[in-house]
Amino acid sequence: MISMLMGCAFTLILFAIMRRVNQRWRSPMLNPVLLCIVLISVVLLFGNIDYIDYRNATTPISFFLEIAVVALALPLYQQLHAIRPYLLLISLSSFLGISCATITAFILCQWFSAPEPLMASLMALSVTTPITLIVTDTLSGLPGIAAIMVILIGVLGGVFGLSLLTLVGVTQPQAKGVALGVACHAIGTAAAMEHHPAAGAFASAAMIISAVITASWVPVLFTLLQGIIS
Amino acid sequence: MMIALRFIASLAILIGCLWAARLITASFALNLPAPLLGLLLLFGLLQSGLLKSEYLLPSCNPILKYMALFFIPAGVGLINYLTIFSQYAWLLASVIILVPALGLLLTGKLASQGRFHD
């Protein structure tokens, strides 16, 4: 058994150290969350600690997950005047981007004949992690897998996203921002912010709009896709 | 002292929105995640002018800044699925590459249709 104080303190201290490491060597590959998840997993495996114990010990941290989703209303409100003329365009791009992500994952799952819980974990990857966890839970998937996949997709998008967009001829920073915000959520948004302030504003707005669309649309789309298959 | 009070007050607003959303989703059996409805409720409060954004800053800034920390415990859950990970490594690898690549392509191309003026 590990105490709540120990579980939370260990996680917090490790996160603080990894943020430092990331600030020191600026590389999306050194994503603090990814490093923390890998290191804590290794500690639990080698220390023979049950995951359930760790999860129970860190409930205060997980409590803030849902609070953080609510808090996203603030940046959306702050950027509304800048993005208002493009709200429809962003929403449409986001809707199609999410649908494309879900359908792509679905087809790949059919191809590799993935079991139901695994498939359910890969349906909502084009969205910020707290929403992924909520949607995966609704579809009875495996939240641990979904969380890792979302973070890895974000890291990959943060590293290669801008180059890919330039390669296919997307030049305006605003359009790049929308693409990064929808496809690579928070980590992509961070990359967009470093690239150009307008890209950052559009990315965070697109990310939040995607969160709203994902939570309401992906479960419906998943049911539709399953209906087509059976 | 004052800073702590401001933080607690703004956190209370966030928690209030979340609880109100939980109450609504539960009583109307809505298929919408409560945190998301909470986001929309808070957004509505800000838009209507009932709530000034300054009240929210003390808690929202740190919460949004360190948001990544909150999903570490969920991510560590992967240790229960290590066999699935190794069994379906190819599927997961293709998902990790194809999903963001196609998403970026489609979304970027679509968003380029906008006439942006800086």
Side-chain angles (χ1 to χ4, degrees):
Chain A
M1 257 332 276
I2 34 175
S3 73
M4 217 169 245
L5 186 68
M6 224 169 82
C8 289
F10 179 63
T11 309
L12 278 167
I13 292 165
L14 199 62
F15 182 68
I17 296 171
M18 290 308 151
R19 268 180 66 92
R20 267 288 160 78
V21 168
N22 183 246
Q23 278 158 358
R24 187 81 186 267
W25 296 281
R26 282 222 159 274
S27 155
M29 291 293 193
L30 291 174
N31 178 272
V33 186
L34 195 64
L35 292 173
C36 285
I37 290 175
V38 170
L39 283 169
I40 295 171
S41 300
V42 169
V43 169
L44 294 189
L45 285 171
F46 280 94
N48 266 329
I49 302 164
D50 215 2
Y51 169 63
I52 302 296
D53 285 345
Y54 173 74
R55 198 182 64 188
N56 291 341
T58 48
T59 29
I61 294 177
S62 306
F63 165 79
F64 276 98
L65 201 59
E66 296 192 321
I67 301 287
V69 176
V70 178
L72 287 172
L74 186 65
L76 186 63
Y77 168 76
Q78 286 169 329
Q79 270 138 23
L80 194 70
H81 69 279
I83 60 159
R84 193 184 282 274
Y86 311 106
L87 208 55
L88 187 68
L89 180 71
I90 297 175
S91 305
L92 191 69
S93 308
S94 162
F95 177 79
L96 286 164
I98 290 163
S99 305
C100 166
T102 303
I103 293 166
T104 305
F106 190 83
I107 291 170
L108 286 170
C109 285
Q110 293 299 326
W111 188 284
F112 286 88
S113 47
E116 193 73 28
L118 181 61
M119 182 155 73
S121 322
L122 304 178
M123 289 299 107
L125 299 181
S126 198
V127 71
T128 187
T129 313
I131 301 283
T132 305
L133 295 175
I134 295 163
V135 173
T136 305
D137 214 34
T138 328
L139 304 179
S140 33
L142 317 162
I145 289 191
I148 287 286
M149 293 295 283
V150 168
I151 295 162
L152 287 174
I153 283 174
V155 170
L156 214 69
V159 181
F160 301 110
L162 283 165
S163 328
L164 178 73
L165 288 166
T166 313
L167 195 75
V168 297
V170 178
T171 48
Q172 301 124 311
Q174 294 88 342
K176 286 181 184 169
V178 174
L180 282 167
V182 170
C184 312
H185 37 88
I187 307 173
T189 300
M193 278 178 183
E194 278 174 34
H195 172 66
H196 190 287
F202 275 75
S204 58
M207 176 183 92
I208 301 164
I209 290 166
S210 288
V212 178
I213 295 175
T214 298
S216 35
W217 168 235
V218 167
V220 178
L221 180 59
F222 183 50
T223 317
L224 284 175
L225 289 168
Q226 281 180 308
I228 292 168
I229 291 294
S230 54
Chain B
M1 193 60 211
M2 206 52 215
I3 294 172
L5 280 176
R6 284 215 182 95
F7 176 82
I8 291 165
S10 66
L11 186 60
I13 298 173
L14 294 178
I15 295 173
C17 284
L18 183 61
W19 279 358
R22 280 215 182 111
L23 199 70
I24 295 168
T25 45
S27 37
F28 294 97
L30 292 178
N31 225 342
L32 189 76
L36 200 75
L37 183 63
L39 185 162
L40 296 172
L41 284 177
L42 184 60
F43 183 75
L45 285 175
L46 288 164
Q47 265 307 95
S48 63
L50 287 169
L51 192 66
K52 282 200 173 68
S53 56
E54 293 86 68
Y55 297 150
L56 286 171
L57 291 171
S59 71
C60 278
N61 279 345
I63 285 174
L64 291 170
K65 192 175 169 190
Y66 301 114
M67 186 158 104
L69 161 73
F70 309 138
F71 36 82
I72 292 173
V76 176
L78 82 101
I79 63 173
N80 286 344
Y81 317 120
L82 288 175
T83 40
I84 294 190
F85 256 92
S86 50
Q87 232 178 330
Y88 290 95
W90 282 109
L91 163 66
L92 298 175
S94 6
V95 166
I96 284 175
I97 293 165
L98 281 175
V99 165
L102 293 173
L104 280 169
L105 242 157
L106 185 71
T107 322
K109 279 288 175 197
L110 241 170
S112 305
Q113 305 308 309
R115 287 190 191 81
F116 301 103
H117 30 76
D118 300 306

